[in-house]
Amino acid sequence: MIQTLEWTKAGVRFLDQTKLPTEEVYVTCRSYQEVADVIRGMVVRGAPAIGVAAAMGIALGVESSRAQTLEEFERELHEICRVIGETRPTAVNLFWAIRRMQEKFQSLRACPLSKIRRGLVEEAQRMHVEDISINQAMGRHGAVLMPASGGVLTHCNAGALATCGYGTALGVVRAAVEQGKQLHVYADETRPFLQGARLTAWELVKDGIPTTVISDSMSGAMMRQGKIGAVIVGADRIAANGDVANKIGTYTVAVLAREHAIPFYVAAPLSTIDLLTPEGSQIPIEQRDPSEVTHIAGKPITPPGVEVENPAFDVTPARFVSAIVTEHGIARAPYEQSLTSLVRAAADGHRPPE
Amino acid sequence: MIQTLEWTKAGVRFLDQTKLPTEEVYVTCRSYQEVADVIRGMVVRGAPAIGVAAAMGIALGVESSRAQTLEEFERELHEICRVIGETRPTAVNLFWAIRRMQEKFQSLRACPLSKIRRGLVEEAQRMHVEDISINQAMGRHGAVLMPASGGVLTHCNAGALATCGYGTALGVVRAAVEQGKQLHVYADETRPFLQGARLTAWELVKDGIPTTVISDSMSGAMMRQGKIGAVIVGADRIAANGDVANKIGTYTVAVLAREHAIPFYVAAPLSTIDLLTPEGSQIPIEQRDPSEVTHIAGKPITPPGVEVENPAFDVTPARFVSAIVTEHGIARAPYEQSLTSLVRAAADGHRPPE
């Protein structure tokens, strides 16, 4: 099993996703600032993985805190959360994880500091374990949506590497393959960061799932040739109305899917659903460094002086989304109702089967 | 002015487009086989430039021919045309140029061999000069279609570098800018060969036309944000019904343009219109080497063992095409009639203004 991130005695260990697929190297963070850096630098990426990384970063920070009083501790926790919270603005799982750690602190504030520290470290580790079982539940719910055989297109990486293991969109693919479905994954390479070519292909080849990498510009032609039976992607934030923020290019794939009457599915844990954001236009979109577009592997591909755009995400309106797969079941339009119901059912204590 | 290709005393000189934008180096071919190699290796690319390169390759071959008899000469010409004709299957300008050189030979076959040789060399040089004036005429016809100001999206490179100068799609942009229109070009980077990032950006920056390079996956988001007022692209072959074969990813852009009610224009000389091919599904699509997808700048971006697809072109059905700009005027649907009329008018001797 791929260990995307892991709590170890030496610190939080991350598989360095900027080096894949050519090098499989690990980075161990010994401070919360180092965790913030690896999130910002996309050593770890993918909304669910970012969430757990944030929680572990907070745990690391409070574990090494020298605070002697609750007041001091709370001030440090606040600062740690502020630094971690400023790494990446779009993935709502980051803020969900910070809130969960803050709530855990509140529930423990009557305890001695040593117990609070231990409690927060355990909470971060629990989130890691939960994330994997959430993905497996998502896989069970979503597998039924996959065709019995044929091509399934995915964009970016919503796999084991975007989570603590198994994956969201690729978790659904894995579950379908485990059920005997004969799927062939078409992976958009996903410029500028090449998550599809580098990461999705790497983890699917490892699992023996047939995979074809295509340039992003080829997905339309593949659909027109009848090679794609379904599209499944992850999400970085889903607004209350079902609008989906996901890796730049997802919207293009959704428009193409509708043109070819191909179902377009999104797989994401409930922690990605942001009921406080009514619609997609209100989701903040991260603009990343122009050098991701102007350079590949350190080599310039554009002439000096040219402008570039580099939005990391786009928003796919809910009307393009055939269904949203969560660990608590499948939501369909109208999403205002279906998403709220799922989130409420989960809050009422119906935990996903583990 | 950019010299994409040029007949020189030393041979046919090409600006090496595989090296742009970081290096501006030239390659001089001294034999027709070398010309075939540079066409195949995309040192020169773009349908109109491929056509003239083919003619110059043939001229180079016959110029150095040692044939003593017409029969010998004809056999050599046939072999030269065969080799040049096997370089790239999609761009119909290649076959148009070969046919034009063969027709020139037929018109001269009563002459002494020295005169035939000179006549073929002159014909190739004439095609070079004509190509530029054709592009300028296309620019005059097409400029009216461009918005008075704002963003125009293009895919791949249909500029000076795809022709003998001025360009087809970018010729229309240049003519519009010369008329005082305030255009800002959005250039899709155009993976896998990066013609947009490397070539379109290079020649537009040289000309001082504001240009923003985007990853191919960003065009949908740019349209949704209202940044694009029109799309204009070139073509490698246009079927009699108006279906357009062009660089892979063009179809995706066309689908996106229609979704956003943005006009989608194609600019191409009449030599790109293939009335013998009734519709797009009959256009042969070149499959190029997988390494163009799996590697960038010599570095692998995919894991070993993964499959890739690498079709160099796709076909955009005529129903997505708002208009086709040619040197003889603008064709609109139904294209069966409008394209045939333009080709007939040209054959009747109405040459474009020079």
Side-chain angles (χ1 to χ4, degrees):
Chain A
M1 182 130 183
I2 295 162
Q3 282 291 0
T4 306
L5 72 168
E6 202 180 357
W7 182 269
T8 73
K9 286 213 171 80
V12 190
R13 202 176 82 127
F14 295 92
L15 175 53
D16 186 349
Q17 301 194 26
T18 65
K19 299 287 197 298
L20 289 173
T22 42
E23 292 173 64
E24 199 173 326
V25 295
Y26 292 82
V27 172
T28 300
C29 294
R30 288 171 177 83
S31 69
Y32 74 88
Q33 292 95 336
E34 284 178 15
V35 173
D37 286 343
V38 302
I39 295 173
R40 200 180 291 107
M42 292 172 74
V43 167
V44 66
R45 28 63 53 201
I50 288 172
V52 177
M56 287 191 175
I58 294 167
L60 202 57
V62 299
E63 199 192 32
S64 63
S65 146
R66 293 187 188 168
Q68 298 293 328
T69 67
L70 185 70
E71 200 189 6
E72 245 183 291
F73 186 92
E74 192 162 11
R75 211 166 38 236
E76 281 188 21
L77 176 62
H78 181 81
E79 172 62 10
I80 294 165
C81 292
R82 188 191 64 75
V83 169
I84 301 255
E86 284 180 354
T87 49
R88 300 199 65 196
T90 304
V92 77
N93 306 59
L94 179 72
F95 309 103
W96 166 85
I98 292 171
R99 202 170 50 245
R100 182 157 157 181
M101 292 296 274
Q102 284 168 331
E103 283 165 6
K104 186 70 189 174
F105 165 71
Q106 292 304 336
S107 76
L108 294 170
R109 61 183 300 145
C111 304
L113 286 181
S114 61
K115 194 167 176 203
I116 297 179
R117 287 192 179 94
R118 201 166 56 244
L120 288 172
V121 170
E122 283 166 4
E123 185 70 2
Q125 290 174 288
R126 193 174 302 121
M127 286 161 76
H128 186 279
V129 173
E130 279 176 19
D131 184 62
I132 297 172
S133 64
I134 282 170
N135 291 336
Q136 288 165 337
M138 223 181 288
R140 283 192 293 277
H141 287 299
V144 66
L145 299 174
M146 295 290 98
S149 66
V152 173
L153 178 75
T154 191
H155 188 75
C156 195
N157 172 268
L161 291 168
T163 62
C164 298
Y166 205 68
T168 56
L170 297 189
V172 171
V173 168
R174 286 191 166 96
V177 169
E178 283 159 20
Q179 289 176 12
K181 294 190 173 185
Q182 306 281 316
L183 301 185
H184 186 114
V185 175
Y186 284 80
D188 276 351
E189 69 172 6
T190 318
R191 276 279 291 149
F193 210 68
L194 297 166
Q195 290 94 333
R198 298 192 301 106
L199 310 178
T200 294
W202 182 79
E203 63 168 90
L204 292 180
V205 166
K206 240 178 162 41
D207 272 13
I209 296 174
T211 305
T212 297
V213 171
I214 57 173
S215 305
D216 300 316
S217 61
M218 294 172 192
S219 48
M222 295 301 122
M223 290 186 191
R224 195 146 179 269
Q225 289 169 30
K227 290 180 173 169
I228 311 296
V231 175
I232 188 156
V233 297
D236 288 81
R237 189 184 301 216
I238 300 174
N241 72 341
D243 289 351
V244 174
N246 191 47
K247 182 52 52 196
I248 186 73
T250 301
Y251 171 60
T252 288
V253 173
V255 170
L256 288 168
R258 201 176 58 175
E259 170 68 24
H260 296 87
I262 295 166
F264 178 88
Y265 302 120
V266 175
L270 293 181
S271 53
T272 301
I273 296 166
D274 178 12
L275 295 182
L276 298 176
T277 297
E279 50 170 69
S281 62
Q282 292 149 318
I283 298 174
I285 299 296
E286 177 183 6
Q287 303 290 323
R288 291 188 61 84
D289 197 280
S291 65
E292 290 179 358
V293 175
T294 57
H295 289 64
I296 301 182
K299 226 188 126 169
I301 60 158
T302 55
V306 80
E307 292 173 36
V308 301
E309 295 242 12
N310 191 12
F313 305 97
D314 60 25
V315 173
T316 298
R319 67 178 189 279
F320 291 93
V321 180
S322 310
I324 297 174
V325 181
T326 77
E327 69 273 32
H328 274 269
I330 293 171
R332 293 195 184 260
Y335 291 104
E336 283 84 352
Q337 283 88 331
S338 58
L339 293 178
T340 308
S341 305
L342 285 177
V343 171
R344 279 206 193 124
D348 289 350
H350 305 292
R351 288 213 153 254
E354 308 233 346
Chain B
M1 184 129 182
I2 295 161
Q3 282 291 1
T4 306
L5 71 168
E6 203 179 358
W7 182 268
T8 72
K9 285 213 170 80
V12 189
R13 200 177 84 127
F14 295 92
L15 175 53
D16 186 347
Q17 301 193 26
T18 66
K19 299 286 197 298
L20 288 173
T22 41
E23 291 173 65
E24 199 172 326
V25 295
Y26 292 82
V27 173
T28 299
C29 294
R30 289 173 176 83
S31 69
Y32 74 88
Q33 293 95 336
E34 285 178 13
V35 172
D37 286 343
V38 302
I39 295 173
R40 201 180 290 107
M42 292 173 74
V43 167
V44 66
R45 24 67 51 201
I50 288 173
V52 177
M56 287 190 175
I58 294 167
L60 203 58
V62 300
E63 199 190 32
S64 62
S65 146
R66 292 186 188 170
Q68 299 293 326
T69 66
L70 185 69
E71 200 189 7
E72 245 183 290
F73 186 93
E74 192 163 11
R75 211 166 39 235
E76 281 189 20
L77 176 63
H78 181 79
E79 173 62 9
I80 293 166
C81 291
R82 188 192 64 75
V83 170
I84 300 255
E86 284 179 355
T87 50
R88 301 199 66 195
T90 305
V92 76
N93 306 60
L94 179 72
F95 309 103
W96 165 86
I98 292 170
R99 200 170 53 247
R100 183 158 155 180
M101 292 296 275
Q102 284 168 331
E103 283 166 7
K104 185 72 191 175
F105 165 71
Q106 292 304 336
S107 76
L108 293 170
R109 61 184 299 144
C111 305
L113 285 182
S114 61
K115 194 168 176 202
I116 297 179
R117 288 194 178 93
R118 200 165 55 245
L120 288 173
V121 170
E122 283 166 5
E123 186 70 1
Q125 290 174 288
R126 192 174 303 119
M127 286 161 75
H128 186 280
V129 173
E130 278 176 19
D131 184 61
I132 297 173
S133 64
I134 282 169
N135 291 336
Q136 288 165 337
M138 223 180 290
R140 281 192 295 277
H141 287 299
V144 67
L145 299 174
M146 295 290 99
S149 65
V152 173
L153 179 76
T154 192
H155 189 73
C156 195
N157 172 267
L161 291 167
T163 62
C164 299
Y166 204 68
T168 55
L170 297 189
V172 170
V173 168
R174 286 191 166 95
V177 169
E178 285 160 17
Q179 290 176 12
K181 293 190 173 185
Q182 306 282 315
L183 302 185
H184 185 114
V185 175
Y186 284 80
D188 276 351
E189 68 172 7
T190 317
R191 277 279 291 149
F193 210 67
L194 297 167
Q195 290 94 334
R198 298 192 301 105
L199 309 179
T200 294
W202 182 79
E203 63 169 271
L204 292 180
V205 165
K206 241 179 162 41
D207 271 13
I209 296 174
T211 305
T212 297
V213 171
I214 56 174
S215 304
D216 300 317
S217 61
M218 295 173 191
S219 48
M222 295 301 123
M223 290 186 191
R224 194 145 180 270
Q225 290 170 29
K227 290 181 174 169
I228 311 296
V231 175
I232 189 157
V233 296
D236 289 80
R237 191 186 299 217
I238 300 173
N241 72 342
D243 290 352
V244 174
N246 191 46
K247 181 51 53 197
I248 186 73
T250 301
Y251 171 60
T252 288
V253 173
V255 170
L256 288 168
R258 201 177 57 175
E259 171 67 25
H260 296 88
I262 295 167
F264 178 87
Y265 301 120
V266 175
L270 293 181
S271 53
T272 301
I273 297 166
D274 178 12
L275 295 182
L276 298 177
T277 296
E279 51 169 67
S281 62
Q282 291 149 319
I283 298 174
I285 299 296
E286 178 184 6
Q287 303 289 323
R288 292 188 60 85
D289 196 280
S291 66
E292 290 179 357
V293 174
T294 58
H295 288 64
I296 301 182
K299 225 189 127 170
I301 60 158
T302 56
V306 80
E307 292 174 33
V308 300
E309 296 243 12
N310 191 13
F313 305 97
D314 60 25
V315 173
T316 298
R319 67 177 188 280
F320 290 94
V321 180
S322 310
I324 298 174
V325 181
T326 77
E327 70 273 33
H328 274 270
I330 294 171
R332 292 194 184 260
Y335 291 104
E336 283 84 354
Q337 283 88 332
S338 59
L339 293 178
T340 307
S341 306
L342 284 177
V343 171
R344 279 206 192 124
D348 289 350
H350 305 292
R351 287 213 154 254
E354 308 231 349

